[in-house]
Amino acid sequence: MGGGIVAGKIAFVTGAGSGIGRAVCQVLAREGAKVIAADQNGIAAQETQGLLSNVWINDHISVTVDVSMAESVNMAISDVIKHYSRPPSVVVNSAGITRDNFLLKMDEKWFQKVIDVNLKGTFLVVQTAVKAMIDAKISEGSIINIASIVGKTGNIGQCNYSASKAGVEAFTKTAAKEFGQFGIRCNAVVPGFIRSPMTDAVPEKVLQKIIPFIAVRRMGKPEEVAEVIAFLASDRSSYINGASIEVTGG
Ligand SMILES: NC(=O)c1ccc[n+]([C@@H]2O[C@H](COP(=O)([O-])OP(=O)(O)OC[C@H]3O[C@@H](n4cnc5c(N)ncnc54)[C@H](O)[C@@H]3O)[C@@H](O)[C@H]2O)c1
């Protein structure tokens, strides 16, 4: 088998059909993992799978999953276990949505939807995957959740999203405390403004106003978040647990 910092590991990545999740799949595959590209958009997940290449490994799959539905998450993890005869030891929660509006105009359904995907979805995937890891006696696992800098700073128009992402950080710290005894680490990455289909929805005029406040004077690339996630997935970060790592350009 070839090298790579996550060689031989099985990695389950949600939100894999786009943006950061897709870049995570590519970096993990380059670093020797077998990757499950999971997304609600099954066609996009398949496209990601098609992009994955590694000279030594060609055992990547894609699955369709709605992370906000327990049954769907259960089926996805079962499919993974059927395919590889063991559960993933790396889990990356990149599925996420925005439904922006000013707080006073925020629709209750939009508030709930964002919490259901970003926060409850992370919970469902972590609970299901970690149960399977413990059952399979996997002794080294790594979970990486994607929060957001707006979960720390707040952001006009994003009361639902910012609250969901603050929740993801607190959830991550609790998971780290509960799972440390099983050798399963849980960390969050906290991206700033990253170019992806999610931020493509923000008018360029608004983005240009944000850039002067970023120390490096540019938005980030999905790969720049993915490289940090690959490090957290690997044994090189074996003593990092319960951390929130900002990837914001300062
Ligand atoms: N782009 C940024 O600037 C930025 C900043 C901070 C945090 N984040 C977070 O990073 C993660 C990835 O963001 P992105 O920029 O790649 O967004 P994106 O919109 O490009 O990709 C998100 C993916 O999640 C999938 N998805 C949505 N709902 C789902 C569900 N219920 N079940 C399964 N999959 C679902 C979508 O189909 C899509 O492929 C998100 O959690 C986002 O909140 C992004």
Side-chain angles (χ1 to χ4, degrees):
M1 186 189 289
I5 61 172
V6 288
K9 293 186 192 287
I10 299 173
F12 184 82
V13 181
T14 74
S18 178
I20 296 171
R22 175 168 282 177
V24 168
C25 291
Q26 291 178 292
V27 173
L28 289 177
R30 183 197 76 202
E31 293 297 329
K34 298 176 184 184
V35 174
I36 303 108
D39 204 289
Q40 187 173 35
N41 182 340
I43 292 168
Q46 258 176 30
E47 278 169 16
T48 297
Q49 182 197 349
L51 295 171
L52 305 181
S53 59
N54 181 302
V55 189
W56 311 285
I57 293 162
N58 195 12
D59 192 10
H60 312 293
I61 61 171
S62 62
V63 296
T64 306
V65 67
D66 178 351
V67 297
S68 66
M69 308 286 286
E71 205 177 314
S72 176
V73 172
N74 261 319
M75 270 171 54
I77 297 289
S78 297
D79 286 351
V80 171
I81 296 172
K82 257 185 233 147
H83 183 88
Y84 296 104
S85 309
R86 57 187 167 115
S89 67
V90 171
V91 174
V92 180
N93 283 297
S94 189
I97 58 166
T98 53
R99 291 286 184 277
D100 298 352
N101 209 342
F102 298 120
L103 199 158
L104 294 180
K105 293 186 174 167
M106 179 60 70
D107 187 275
E108 183 186 343
K109 287 202 189 74
W110 278 20
F111 190 90
Q112 191 62 49
K113 179 77 187 157
V114 167
I115 300 292
D116 281 351
V117 175
N118 298 4
L119 183 56
K120 192 182 86 173
T122 298
F123 155 69
L124 288 173
V125 171
V126 169
Q127 187 186 53
T128 310
V130 170
K131 271 185 190 164
M133 285 185 209
I134 292 170
D135 283 352
K137 301 197 165 44
I138 284 179
S139 57
E140 271 179 5
S142 178
I143 296 161
I144 300 103
N145 298 326
I146 307 198
S148 166
I149 197 65
V150 306
K152 294 188 171 180
T153 60
N155 196 23
I156 289 175
Q158 293 198 309
C159 65
N160 49 359
Y161 182 81
S162 59
S164 76
K165 293 300 187 178
V168 164
E169 275 193 73
F171 172 82
T172 300
K173 288 184 198 307
T174 299
K177 289 195 165 154
E178 293 195 15
F179 301 153
Q181 62 183 312
F182 303 114
I184 299 169
R185 297 180 293 114
C186 189
N187 293 291
V189 291
V190 184
F193 291 87
I194 310 297
R195 291 250 174 228
S196 79
M198 183 177 272
T199 47
D200 286 348
V202 180
E204 192 58 34
K205 250 180 22 194
V206 176
L207 294 178
Q208 288 309 324
K209 281 193 184 141
I210 293 167
I211 289 171
F213 295 98
I214 303 171
V216 300
R217 297 289 192 278
R218 65 172 177 85
M219 289 176 70
K221 293 181 270 192
E223 305 78 64
E224 292 176 301
V225 181
E227 294 289 351
V228 178
I229 291 174
F231 168 68
L232 289 172
S234 79
D235 302 338
R236 293 193 182 177
S237 59
S238 49
Y239 206 58
I240 302 184
N241 192 25
S244 291
I245 303 198
E246 291 186 13
V247 188
T248 64

